Amino acid sequence: MSEYRLRPHHALCINFFEGKGYSTDFTGNMTRIIENLQKNPSIELTTGQDVICSKCPCTDCHEKATAYDTKVLDICGISGKIRWNELQEIIHEKIISTGKLHEVCGDCQWFYICGKKET
């Protein structure tokens, strides 16, 4: 795929993914997406369903996910379309390396994984 619809906060999740998740289908999808992102595709940022949500069995997370997305967009000053590598540079510069991960998604059920890796 040459373009992906991706929630901005999922760009953070991808950095800390360990192959754990909601289901085998979800983790398999996430693994494939991460492999394909190495080709530096164009990313269409969205605060709605994306390629990761498509395999997620969680059905009650939209409000929380939208709040995470909004925080990422605000902190990073991005919107629209962007190449994956550029998105990753901005995410690292503005959120990960500045210690703002907790500010974005500290109440996420998976934060115990990401929070211990944040550097």
Side-chain angles (χ1 to χ4, degrees), residues 43-68:
I43 303 298
E44 179 185 348
L45 296 170
T46 181
T47 57
Q49 295 283 321
D50 70 0
V51 294
I52 293 173
C53 297
S54 69
K55 298 292 182 180
C56 181
C58 179
T59 58
D60 63 346
C61 60
H62 180 72
E63 189 174 313
K64 187 181 275 193
T66 300
Y68 297 160

Side-chain angles (χ1 to χ4, degrees), residues 19-88:
K20 300 173 184 173
Y22 301 101
S23 67
T24 303
D25 198 26
F26 175 83
T27 56
N29 183 56
M30 183 75 129
T31 300
R32 281 187 298 282
I33 290 167
I34 292 169
E35 289 170 0
N36 288 330
L37 289 173
Q38 293 175 7
K39 298 172 187 168
N40 195 29
S42 177
I43 303 298
E44 179 185 348
L45 296 170
T46 181
T47 57
Q49 295 283 321
D50 70 0
V51 294
I52 293 173
C53 297
S54 69
K55 298 292 182 180
C56 181
C58 179
T59 58
D60 63 346
C61 60
H62 180 72
E63 189 174 313
K64 187 181 275 193
T66 300
Y68 297 160
D69 293 333
T70 301
K71 288 177 187 174
V72 171
L73 293 173
D74 288 348
I75 291 169
C76 294
I78 54 176
S79 64
K81 292 185 180 182
I82 189 170
R83 300 297 285 190
W84 172 250
N85 289 349
E86 183 181 358
L87 176 59
Q88 281 300 287

